[in-house]
Amino acid sequence: MKKYFYVINIQYLGYRFHGWQKQPNVKTLHLMVDRTLNFILEGKRFKSLCAGRTDAMVSAENAAFELFLHHEIEDLDAFLELFNYNLPQDIRALNIREVNEKFNIINHSKTKEYLYLFTYGEKCHPFCAPIMTTILDDLDIEVMKEGAKLFEGEHHFKSYCYKPSETGIYNRKIDLCELVENTIYTANYFPKKSFVLRVQGKGFMRNQIRLMMGTLIDLGKGKIALNDIEHSLKPDVFVKMDYIAPASGLILNSIEFE
């Protein structure tokens, strides 16, 4: 039987979900996507596979999953409209395209960009909680900007992997890492100033961005120094980092397949 392959880009607010992967007795993105697909496909056989794992409460501006079918979608625009009509309001499909059988959404080379949105110094409006982390202590933003730049390039990132194994590949490259004032997300209940950590690269490990952000927050609080970050990135060094930044500030901003 002939198979058909499609890539669907989606965006979602992850605050009420326990990540992408299906798990017993909890609400996940994969569960809701597959439940919707099963309804609109009227019980026809299908399989969906995401481009990567997502932690609980992490959001996405542009994520992707592959849809495997045994029948062709004749009208992609109509399918996308029907899919969106039935998805919950915190998930939206952006586009759909057909790919060939050689495409593998897991193994295909791709570049991801993550954003981490945060503010500091004051208690924020509760509506900020789904996408912004609030640090109540004062932070030295300028030294945090210097610290972010230390992550750029090829380094040994074992210290920035949650529960690393002895056989993992920890020499990774980050194409861009910068901390800038937030001009992307705005709302009348946002604080006057907020900030974004922007990170681009091809391969990220479990909790890597959140561990990097947590380290920068500790740097901003004066708990560690710039040379501590430099040391943590040296070959064969492993430093157990004390702070994993909250998941709700993390956003998958884009995913580009090569």
Side-chain angles (χ1 to χ4, degrees):
M1 184 180 294
K2 186 175 179 179
K3 292 184 179 180
Y4 298 87
F5 311 85
Y6 302 89
V7 170
I8 300 177
N9 290 82
I10 60 172
Q11 56 188 186
Y12 50 82
L13 180 65
Y15 199 61
R16 74 183 181 106
F17 295 108
H18 288 258
W20 172 266
Q21 190 173 349
K22 289 179 184 176
Q23 303 170 56
N25 305 316
V26 295
K27 188 170 290 185
T28 69
L29 289 151
H30 198 187
L31 173 68
M32 300 308 294
V33 165
D34 272 10
R35 186 177 290 174
T36 306
L37 287 169
N38 187 61
F39 177 74
I40 66 174
L41 292 171
E42 299 178 331
K44 295 187 178 82
R45 289 175 59 192
F46 74 91
K47 179 182 176 181
S48 61
L49 185 63
C50 188
R53 291 176 58 119
T54 303
D55 289 341
M57 301 177 74
V58 173
S59 298
E61 284 279 6
N62 197 334
F65 70 91
E66 190 169 2
L67 176 62
F68 304 84
L69 294 174
H70 290 277
H71 69 280
E72 186 176 10
I73 299 175
E74 296 181 359
D75 189 334
L76 293 179
D77 290 337
F79 178 89
L80 192 69
E81 183 178 355
L82 183 62
F83 191 32
N84 272 319
Y85 188 86
N86 288 281
L87 279 169
Q89 64 178 3
D90 43 9
I91 306 175
R92 179 170 71 160
L94 299 172
N95 54 64
I96 180 172
R97 62 187 174 95
E98 188 171 3
V99 294
N100 62 40
E101 69 278 1
K102 294 180 180 179
F103 182 87
N104 184 305
I105 200 163
I106 299 295
N107 297 327
H108 203 90
S109 182
K110 50 190 170 288
T111 298
K112 293 182 178 180
E113 178 177 274
Y114 284 95
L115 304 177
Y116 195 96
L117 184 62
F118 71 99
T119 188
Y120 73 95
E122 62 176 323
K123 187 77 172 182
C124 288
H125 194 293
F127 290 0
C128 295
I131 62 167
M132 180 184 295
T133 291
T134 302
I135 306 299
L136 295 179
D137 304 287
D138 284 334
L139 296 176
D140 184 339
I141 294 295
E142 293 308 312
V143 75
M144 291 173 69
K145 289 179 179 179
E146 293 182 55
K149 282 298 176 185
L150 295 176
F151 291 117
E152 281 188 357
E154 295 185 17
H155 301 289
H156 183 71
F157 284 98
K158 187 175 182 178
S159 299
Y160 299 93
C161 178
Y162 180 69
K163 294 185 178 180
S165 69
E166 293 302 316
T167 57
I169 299 173
Y170 302 111
N171 292 321
R172 306 285 180 114
K173 181 182 179 184
I174 287 183
D175 299 321
L176 172 72
C177 186
E178 63 177 5
L179 196 155
V180 297
E181 190 168 336
N182 168 41
T183 58
I184 302 170
Y185 297 100
T186 60
N188 60 7
Y189 52 83
F190 272 19
K192 290 181 180 179
K193 270 193 177 183
S194 55
F195 300 88
V196 170
L197 178 70
R198 184 193 303 269
V199 186
Q200 294 175 0
K202 285 189 175 179
F204 294 101
M205 299 171 293
R206 188 180 180 189
N207 290 159
Q208 182 176 345
I209 308 296
R210 292 171 59 196
L211 279 162
M212 289 166 57
M213 186 69 239
T215 300
L216 291 177
I217 290 169
D218 280 346
L219 177 68
K221 290 180 179 181
K223 290 185 174 182
I224 62 171
L226 289 168
N227 58 14
D228 292 316
I229 296 178
E230 290 175 329
H231 174 72
S232 71
L233 295 169
K234 288 181 178 179
D236 301 321
V237 168
F238 173 66
V239 181
K240 191 176 186 307
M241 296 303 178
D242 293 328
Y243 183 42
I244 302 177
S248 55
L250 184 59
I251 300 165
L252 173 58
N253 193 44
S254 65
I255 180 167
E256 295 182 6
F257 297 99
E258 297 181 1

